[in-house]
């Protein structure tokens, strides 16, 4: 086997592992299989990103049928980074799932969870790797359906309500997307992204293209939880099993944001998106309201998991602001924040999952005084929380810096102020958690006052340390984001 | 010693000490011995910085975060001054806090000493930062690791004070200072401190004013109104914390940053020729007067001292905004002189609380006659703050007035004089009541019958710092010669 098949192998491996999990049924063996596959996808992503950097984009033709007739997989600077996020953080969260799932999902049902996980991974990686528009739709559905399944496994009954509204919204999104794809296919007769992009250029003015654009962006916008299309998200995040929440927050929404960038900058091109359609104003309004409103809502949540869920919507707002600016600095900031927020939010949700083992809940009263009996978990919440705020030497600082820089480059001083105002609101809700955890007395009902096991703490701290590492050494993240942004805007490397 | 290693050690020593304090948590005597020996070692290290043959050259660069944004340390006159002041006063404060914390039987003492040492490390980082980015990191670190000290008592009142403290300081630093830094980076491509000013020739008119305002309000630790509320809120902290952090390390880190930004980022020439500095100068003057008036109306001694600090900090900002060499010299001088005097005043307030459990000015009638050393030191330090020779504070007033005359801002001289009069009005009542009030009344004598001076660990440090106010007066010339090279001549 040679490295040339890697782009498809990464997608096929989890797809094959899924039915095997269904047959094995034994939770521990399922986990081992899933973990091996997940680690393999990580290794492949690392090889892919280094190959892309050494020798340019990788093009792979499925079944050796040349594009545009066959399906093409295309790995470039942009999606190799997203592949790395999904497979890397996905692996760490899966490591965590092994320890945390036992507290939330019945043993007899765990194999379903791992099956869904593998399908979800397959869908997410496929959406990133493929260069075919219809293929994206297929993988979008694979990942969404498996995600509904994972959320439905949440231990509270309300998980079913949450998953139902997600199902409805998700289906609307997918349908919108499909309508858009259909319109474009009817117009051009091709589904290959590169080919399509070339053919769209001469007919960019046509109302059909405009309609297709609107349907596609709205459809993906629902998946990415771009304000105000985010209504499904807080409940879905809240009632999903903790490891599934971490996976959702760090990968699913990120892949959707990636697709927005891909469509806006690559498929339709910045000329169409920002001059003919004036997407800047639309996205800027969405991003700014997400940042301010959702952060404010988060401040008033008493349920920490829900607080962080609203915070995720706000953080997607930052990425959308970056995308809307249509400049290298803006896209760099969006990509950086995509990576950094994945590292931050998964650490936060995993810390909550670890705390849940002892507190049995997520309300702010239940974690009071946790710093005394769970020092490592609380310290993880503190570090990841400060990273979310954007304190220097943490990952969050780097993306905030670039976002402010992008705003100032456009002479939008007000936008810079809004970005930092969002940070301050973040500080307000993070500090509620920190204050409760460190300075309030322990409630009486907590019986087991000791730290959680290493099976939970080790994966948690891998991500916490990643938060610090990517705040100090930015060569990987900044290099990849900057390179991808320049490539997207057609500026020579 | 290798100069680079020496610089790093100045920051690492208190951190190592903090580790030791944590390890010795169960044995109070050993823990306090570690605090004291770390403080002495640090002071010796900082003083030795002066011995390098080419004093202002050593630079240490641990790493680069992203292009043109490095963490690096170097030594320059202002930094040396701040470093010497903060590390030197840590020694006396350590002695004092041992007496105070044990005298009041405070809880969580290990946490207290640990974060104290970490805060000192952060202050050294601020002092020795080679560029604005490094300074910012340690500035934020200083905010975060002083929070546990402010909220030390852990009751609702302390938590509320801590929230205001943290909220205001982070709001200003993230909300304004960070934006100003990114803006500067975008304009100049780096955040290096450059002699003569990084932004020289890159800015003018309204933009200059906007950036300057972002910087000065962003440096919340300089407590320019209307972002001063954190300082009185932080007075819920135990007195040694108020003494060192809110008379020396934290607030002086703020005005030190103001001076650094004025001299090395904007450049005195640029500011001198623009109207932006004049606008901000009036903000500083207004803060100076308003805070003094507020101090007059505070009966709580620590609150009065807090407002006095706000007022005195604005002297430094005012000096910087005069944008003349004498203004900068006066500002730098004020950092040292005010630190010595104000720490004495806080020590006295703490000693009064330990000995007599009184915190209001109106309750102090006649107390001075049983606590002569404490009230004597208070008197000396008050005179220094007012600016009466032969005490250190007189030099800073002198140079500030020279600076105002140099730039022909005559109104500022009037402001400075009014402020001195106000200072007399709010500080002098304390020793006067202590020594002279209630002398005809037998009840007063009876009330203080069981009160004696606070323990030696409290009284000796405050006498030493009061004495230092006088000593610094005679070191005026060497300080002047230290600062003048960076202030340049117009």
């Amino acid at each position: 086997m040679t490295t040339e098949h890697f782009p498809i192998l990464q997608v096929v491996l989890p797809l094959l592992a899924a039915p095997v999990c269904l047959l094995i049924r034994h939770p521990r063996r399922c986990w081992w299989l899933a973990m091996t596959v997940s680690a393999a996808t990580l290794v492949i992503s690392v090889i892919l990103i280094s190959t892309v950097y050494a020798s340019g984009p990788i093009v792979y033709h499925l079944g050796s049928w040349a594009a545009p007739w066959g399906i093409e997989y295309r790995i470039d600077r942009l999606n190799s980074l997203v592949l790395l996020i999904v497979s890397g953080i996905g692996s760490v969260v899966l490591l965590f799932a092994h320890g945390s799932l036992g507290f939330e999902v019945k043993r007899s049902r765990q194999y379903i969870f791992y099956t869904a996980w593998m399908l979800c991974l397959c869908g997410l990686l496929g959406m990133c790797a493929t260069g075919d528009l219809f293929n994206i739709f297929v993988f979008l559905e694979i990942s969404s359906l498996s995600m509904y399944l994972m959320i439905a496994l949440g231990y509270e009954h309300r998980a079913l309500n949450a998953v139902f509204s997600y199902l409805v919204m998700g289906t609307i999104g997918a349908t919108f997307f499909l309508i858009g794809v259909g319109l474009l296919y009817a117009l051009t007769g091709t589904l290959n992204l590169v080919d399509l992009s070339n053919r769209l250029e001469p007919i960019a003015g046509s109302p059909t293209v405009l309609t297709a654009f609107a349907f596609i962006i709205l459809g993906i916008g629902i998946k990415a939880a771009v304000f105000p299309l985010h209504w499904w998200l807080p409940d879905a995040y809240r009632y999903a099993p903790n490891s599934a929440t971490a996976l959702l927050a760090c990968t699913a929404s990120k892949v959707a944001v990636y697709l927005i960038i891909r469509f806006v900058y690559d498929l339709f091109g910045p000329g169409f998106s920002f001059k003919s359609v004036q997407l800047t104003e639309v996205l800027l309004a969405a991003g700014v309201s997400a940042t301010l409103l959702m952060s404010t809502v988060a401040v008033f949540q008493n349920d920490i998991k829900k607080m962080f869920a609203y915070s995720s919507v706000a953080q997607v707002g930052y990425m959308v602001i970056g995308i809307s600016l249509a400049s290298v600095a803006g896209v760099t900031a969006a990509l950086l924040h995509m990576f950094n927020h994945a590292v931050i939010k998964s650490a936060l949700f995993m810390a909550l999952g670890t705390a849940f083992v002892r507190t049995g809940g997520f309300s702010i009263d239940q974690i009071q005084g946790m710093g005394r009996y769970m020092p490592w978990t609380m310290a993880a919440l503190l570090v990841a929380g400060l990273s979310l705020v954007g304190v220097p030497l943490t990952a969050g600082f780097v993306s905030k810096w670039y976002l402010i820089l992008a705003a100032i480059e456009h002479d939008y001083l007000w936008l810079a102020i809004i970005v930092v105002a969002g940070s301050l609101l973040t500080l307000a809700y993070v500090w509620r958690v920190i204050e409760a955890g460190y300075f309030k007395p322990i409630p009486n009902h907590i019986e087991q006052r000791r730290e959680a096991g290493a099976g939970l703490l080790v994966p948690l701290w891998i991500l916490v340390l990643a938060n610090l590492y990517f705040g100090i050494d930015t060569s990987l993240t900044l290099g990849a984001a900057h390179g991808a942004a320049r490539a997207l805007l057609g500026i020579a490397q | 010693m290798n100069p680079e290693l020496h610089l790093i050690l100045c920051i690492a020593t208190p951190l190592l000490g903090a580790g030791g304090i944590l390890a010795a948590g169960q044995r109070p005597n050993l823990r306090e011995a570690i605090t004291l020996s770390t403080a002495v070692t640090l002071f010796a290290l900082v003083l030795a910085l002066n011995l390098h043959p080419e004093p202002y050259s050593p630079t240490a660069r641990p790493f680069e975060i992203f292009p043109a944004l490095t963490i690096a340390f170097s030594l320059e006159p202002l930094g040396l001054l701040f470093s010497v002041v903060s590390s030197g006063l840590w020694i006396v404060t350590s002695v004092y806090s041992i007496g105070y914390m044990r005298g009041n039987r405070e809880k969580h003492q290990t946490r207290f000493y640990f974060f104290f040492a970490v805060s000192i490390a952060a202050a050294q980082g601020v002092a020795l930062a080679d560029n604005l980015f490094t300074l910012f990191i340690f500035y934020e670190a200083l905010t975060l690791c002083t929070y546990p000290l402010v909220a030390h008592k852990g009751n609702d009142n302390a938590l509320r004070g801590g929230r205001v403290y943290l909220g205001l300081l982070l709001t200003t630093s993230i909300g304004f200072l960070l934006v100003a830094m990114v803006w500067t980076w975008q304009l100049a491509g780096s955040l290096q401190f450059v002699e003569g000013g990084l932004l020289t020739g890159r800015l003018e008119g309204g933009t200059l004013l906007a950036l300057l305002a972002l910087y000065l309000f962003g440096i919340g630790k300089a407590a320019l109104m209307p972002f001063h509320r954190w300082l009185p809120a932080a007075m819920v902290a135990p007195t040694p914390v108020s003494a060192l952090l809110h008379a020396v390390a934290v607030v002086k880190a703020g005005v030190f940053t103001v001076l650094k930004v004025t001299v090395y980022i904007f450049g005195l020439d640029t500011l001198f020729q623009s109207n932006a500095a004049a606008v901000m100068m009036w903000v500083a003057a207004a803060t100076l007067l308003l805070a003094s008036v507020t101090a007059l109306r505070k009966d709580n001694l620590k609150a009065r001292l807090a407002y006095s600090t706000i007022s005195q900090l604005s002297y430094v900002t005012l000096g910087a905004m005069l944008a003349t060499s004498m203004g900068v010299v006066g500002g730098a001088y004020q950092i040292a002189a005010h630190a010595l005097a104000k720490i004495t005043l806080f020590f006295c307030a703490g000693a009064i609380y330990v000995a007599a459990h009184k915190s209001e000015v109106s309750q102090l009638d006649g107390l001075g006659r049983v606590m002569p050393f404490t009230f004597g030191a208070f008197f000396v330090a008050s005179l220094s703050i007012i600016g009466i020779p032969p005490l250190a504070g007189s030099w800073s007033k002198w140079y500030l007035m020279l600076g105002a005359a140099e730039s022909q801002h005559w109104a500022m001289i009037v402001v400075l004089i009014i402020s001195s009069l106000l200072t007399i009005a709010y500080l002098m009542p304390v020793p006067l009541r202590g020594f002279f009030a209630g002398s005809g009344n037998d009840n007063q004598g009876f009330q203080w019958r069981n009160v004696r001076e606070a323990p030696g660990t409290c009284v000796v440090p405050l006498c030493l710092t009061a004495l230092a106010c006088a000593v610094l007066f005679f070191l005026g010339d060497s300080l002047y010669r230290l600062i003048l090279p960076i202030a340049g001549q117009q």
Side-chain angles (χ1 to χ4, degrees):
Chain A
M1 190 176 67
T2 52
T3 55
E4 66 177 298
H5 294 296
F6 274 1
I8 185 69
L9 191 66
Q10 200 180 23
V11 182
V12 168
L13 273 181
L15 188 63
L16 292 177
V20 179
C21 277
L22 210 55
L23 293 173
I24 297 178
R25 286 193 166 225
H26 185 274
R28 177 178 287 266
R29 285 181 210 143
C30 281
W31 179 79
W32 271 108
L33 177 67
M35 197 61 232
T36 316
V37 169
S38 191
T41 60
L42 174 59
V43 172
I44 295 175
S45 307
V46 172
I47 295 172
L48 285 178
I49 197 170
S50 49
T51 316
V52 168
Y53 272 77
S55 51
I58 305 169
V59 179
Y60 178 83
H61 294 122
L62 215 61
S64 300
W65 293 90
W69 296 280
I71 292 174
E72 181 186 56
Y73 277 46
R74 198 182 175 84
I75 315 289
D76 58 13
R77 280 170 184 253
L78 176 60
N79 56 6
S80 59
L81 177 68
V82 187
L83 287 173
L84 188 68
I85 298 176
V86 172
S87 59
I89 300 182
S91 299
V92 183
V93 179
L94 187 57
L95 201 61
F96 175 81
H98 183 244
S100 92
L101 209 56
F103 293 94
E104 296 162 276
V105 180
K106 267 192 228 153
R107 222 179 124 74
S108 59
R109 281 194 190 165
Q110 288 182 6
Y111 73 97
I112 306 178
F113 186 83
Y114 291 120
T115 308
W117 189 289
M118 283 293 101
L119 284 174
C120 187
L121 189 64
C122 158
L124 293 170
L125 292 172
M127 268 194 278
C128 298
T130 186
D132 184 278
L133 201 53
F134 191 75
N135 225 219
I136 292 181
F137 170 72
V138 173
F139 283 120
L140 181 75
E141 282 297 279
I142 294 182
S143 69
S144 301
L145 291 172
S146 50
M147 240 174 261
Y148 304 146
L149 187 55
M150 277 195 275
I151 298 170
L153 286 171
Y155 75 104
E156 282 176 70
H157 280 298
R158 278 202 262 176
L160 297 178
N161 285 337
V163 84
F164 187 72
S165 54
Y166 184 21
L167 179 76
V168 171
M169 286 301 279
T171 309
I172 294 175
T175 313
F176 273 26
F177 181 69
L178 191 60
I179 294 173
V181 173
L183 288 174
L184 288 184
Y185 185 65
L187 207 59
T188 61
T190 182
L191 288 167
N192 181 285
L193 287 178
V194 180
D195 197 31
L196 191 58
S197 166
N198 291 333
R199 291 189 195 204
L200 279 177
E201 222 163 305
I203 51 164
S206 102
T208 318
V209 177
L210 211 62
T211 318
F213 180 77
F215 271 116
I216 288 182
I217 297 297
L218 268 179
I220 298 296
I222 293 179
K223 283 284 163 193
V226 173
F227 185 89
L229 308 171
H230 66 278
W231 292 110
W232 57 271
L233 185 141
D235 275 354
Y237 277 24
R238 168 63 181 80
Y239 297 108
N242 290 314
S243 42
T245 310
L247 183 73
L248 272 172
C250 73
T251 59
S253 61
K254 303 298 172 289
V255 171
V257 171
Y258 152 76
L259 286 178
I260 295 182
I261 296 178
R262 176 64 86 196
F263 292 148
V264 166
Y265 283 93
D266 216 12
L267 181 61
F268 292 95
F272 175 80
S273 307
F274 297 106
K275 297 214 174 71
S276 318
V277 189
Q278 283 145 1
L279 196 62
T280 303
E281 284 78 359
V282 178
L283 288 185
L284 206 53
V288 167
S289 357
T291 313
L292 295 181
L293 293 177
M294 290 299 110
S295 304
T296 313
V297 171
V299 173
F300 295 101
Q301 295 298 319
N302 280 324
D303 185 295
I304 304 175
K305 206 170 167 190
K306 214 157 195 181
M307 176 193 279
F308 288 155
Y310 277 107
S311 144
S312 281
V313 184
Q315 301 293 320
V316 170
Y318 279 128
M319 294 168 219
V320 170
I321 291 176
I323 296 171
S324 75
L325 292 174
S327 65
V328 173
V331 179
T332 306
L335 289 172
L336 269 176
H337 201 51
M338 194 158 124
F339 184 97
N340 292 334
H341 182 245
V343 180
I344 297 167
K345 235 350 132 30
S346 47
L348 282 175
F349 279 122
M350 280 161 66
L352 277 186
T354 312
F356 175 78
V357 171
R358 298 281 177 262
T359 58
F362 305 104
S363 99
I364 205 151
D365 304 327
Q366 277 166 310
I367 70 146
Q368 285 186 355
M370 208 178 79
R372 249 160 280 155
Y373 61 97
M374 295 182 91
W376 288 98
T377 313
M378 198 57 217
L381 262 179
L382 174 70
V383 175
L386 290 179
S387 187
L388 188 66
V389 177
V391 169
L393 301 188
T394 60
F397 174 74
V398 181
S399 36
K400 291 282 160 64
W401 177 279
Y402 269 85
L403 202 55
I404 299 171
L405 185 68
I408 290 179
E409 254 185 30
H410 282 257
D411 279 332
Y412 288 165
L413 193 58
W414 60 270
L415 185 60
I417 301 279
I418 284 177
V419 169
V420 293
S423 276
L424 294 169
L425 288 168
T426 313
L427 177 71
Y429 59 78
V430 166
W431 207 258
R432 285 187 63 202
V433 179
I434 303 301
E435 211 182 74
Y438 279 113
F439 291 96
K440 296 278 171 71
I442 306 172
N444 293 325
H445 71 269
I446 308 282
E447 286 154 8
Q448 291 183 303
R449 299 187 178 188
R450 56 191 169 82
E451 187 54 273
L456 297 172
L457 287 181
V458 169
L460 170 61
W461 272 85
I462 290 177
L463 284 178
V464 171
L465 292 178
N467 265 301
L468 297 174
Y469 177 79
F470 290 114
I472 293 168
D473 180 7
T474 60
S475 52
L476 170 73
T477 48
L478 186 62
H482 199 63
R486 288 172 69 98
L488 279 175
L489 286 155
I491 297 164
Q493 298 297 321
Chain B
M1 197 189 322
N2 175 354
E4 291 184 13
L5 180 69
H6 192 165
L7 278 177
I8 301 282
L9 266 183
C10 286
I11 297 157
T13 306
L15 284 182
L16 292 176
I21 290 166
L22 216 52
Q26 303 303 320
R27 292 146 75 190
N29 287 333
L30 179 63
R31 182 185 67 199
E32 265 78 300
I34 292 176
T35 299
L36 277 177
S37 53
T38 313
V40 173
T41 315
L42 176 66
F43 189 53
L45 274 172
V46 169
L47 283 183
L49 277 176
N50 228 355
L51 299 179
H52 289 296
E54 187 59 48
Y56 305 129
S57 63
T59 305
R61 292 180 185 286
F63 48 80
E64 186 171 56
I65 293 210
F66 33 90
L69 211 56
T70 46
I71 297 200
F73 303 103
S74 70
L75 185 64
E76 54 82 55
L78 274 175
L80 181 66
L81 174 75
F82 180 47
S83 191
V84 168
V85 169
S86 57
S87 62
L89 290 179
W90 187 29
I91 304 178
V92 256
T93 314
S94 298
V95 177
Y96 180 84
S97 42
I98 293 168
Y100 182 91
M101 297 302 278
R102 292 190 176 185
N104 277 329
R105 294 197 182 80
E106 295 272 355
K107 287 182 194 159
H108 304 301
Q109 290 198 21
T110 305
R111 182 177 80 189
F112 173 85
Y113 288 111
F114 172 79
F115 280 107
F116 218 125
V118 177
S119 307
I120 296 294
Q124 300 310 312
V126 170
L128 300 176
D130 181 51
N131 52 51
L132 190 55
F133 179 66
T134 313
L135 195 152
F136 179 71
I137 289 176
F138 284 98
Y139 179 97
E140 294 291 58
L142 187 59
T143 309
L144 290 176
C145 56
T146 46
Y147 170 80
L149 296 172
V150 172
H152 182 80
K153 287 208 176 91
N155 53 23
D156 280 346
N157 200 16
L159 283 182
R160 208 174 310 123
R163 237 174 273 152
V164 175
Y165 176 77
L166 196 77
L168 259 180
L169 284 183
L170 286 183
T171 303
T172 49
S173 71
I174 295 180
F176 307 133
L177 183 54
L178 181 61
V179 176
M181 274 168 52
V182 181
W183 194 354
T184 309
W185 197 67
Q186 202 249 332
L187 284 170
S190 89
L191 289 174
Q192 196 64 37
F193 290 132
V194 177
E195 259 182 69
L198 175 71
L199 290 172
T200 304
R202 288 185 209 218
L203 269 178
E204 54 193 11
T207 346
L208 179 64
L209 177 60
L211 188 58
L212 187 65
L214 276 180
Y215 267 116
L216 291 192
F217 289 123
I219 303 168
K221 293 194 170 103
L224 219 48
M225 278 182 186
F227 299 105
H228 65 286
R229 283 282 315 150
W230 64 270
L231 221 162
M235 289 304 147
V236 297
T239 306
V241 175
S242 312
L244 185 65
L245 298 177
H246 302 117
V248 186
V250 174
V251 292
K252 294 296 153 32
V255 287
F256 168 76
T257 312
V258 168
L259 280 180
K260 288 279 265 199
V261 167
T262 313
V263 175
Y264 296 112
I265 298 292
F266 286 97
L268 291 179
D269 290 331
T270 314
L271 286 182
F272 189 73
Q273 286 150 10
S274 79
N275 295 323
V279 175
M280 293 313 291
M281 182 178 71
W282 277 104
V283 175
T287 305
L288 203 151
L289 292 178
L290 281 173
S292 298
V293 174
T294 315
L296 262 180
R297 291 163 43 214
K298 293 285 170 190
D299 191 35
N300 182 295
L301 183 53
K302 272 176 87 175
R304 187 175 285 200
L305 294 180
Y307 276 96
S308 155
T309 302
I310 296 171
S311 155
Q312 295 290 318
L313 288 175
S314 288
Y315 278 79
V316 184
T317 312
L318 189 128
M321 288 303 107
L322 287 172
T324 60
S325 48
M326 284 306 131
V328 171
V329 170
Y333 212 108
Q334 172 78 351
I335 288 185
H338 176 249
L340 282 175
K342 194 44 76 58
I343 203 170
T344 312
L345 296 183
F346 274 114
F347 281 167
C348 293
I352 293 168
Y353 184 75
V354 169
H357 287 283
K358 294 292 175 211
S359 56
E360 308 300 308
V361 176
S362 54
Q363 296 171 329
L364 302 180
D365 289 2
L367 187 58
R369 290 196 292 279
V370 288
M371 298 178 70
F373 285 106
T374 305
F375 277 78
F378 198 104
F379 181 63
V380 172
S382 304
L383 290 182
S384 177
I385 288 192
I386 293 160
I388 293 173
L391 293 164
S394 56
W395 283 124
S396 45
K397 305 284 159 13
W398 168 260
Y399 285 120
L400 284 175
M401 289 201 189
L402 269 185
E406 205 178 351
S407 59
Q408 302 189 322
H409 286 300
W410 304 111
M412 286 304 127
I413 296 185
V414 179
V415 168
L416 288 171
I417 291 171
I418 296 177
S419 164
S420 281
L421 293 177
L422 284 170
T423 316
I424 297 176
Y426 65 75
L427 281 180
M428 275 305 142
V430 179
L432 291 183
R433 270 172 185 271
F435 284 123
F436 303 114
S439 49
N441 189 341
D442 283 339
N443 282 340
Q444 286 293 345
F446 176 76
Q447 189 189 340
W448 304 127
R449 182 173 294 164
N450 297 324
V451 173
R452 279 181 290 121
E453 282 277 12
T457 46
C458 287
V459 177
V460 173
L462 63 88
C463 291
L464 281 178
T465 49
L467 198 65
C469 288
V471 174
L472 189 64
F473 176 81
F474 296 101
L475 292 176
D477 186 48
S478 52
L479 231 149
Y480 177 74
R481 269 182 291 169
L482 175 73
I483 302 298
L484 200 62
I486 64 145
Q489 292 288 358
Q490 259 72 40

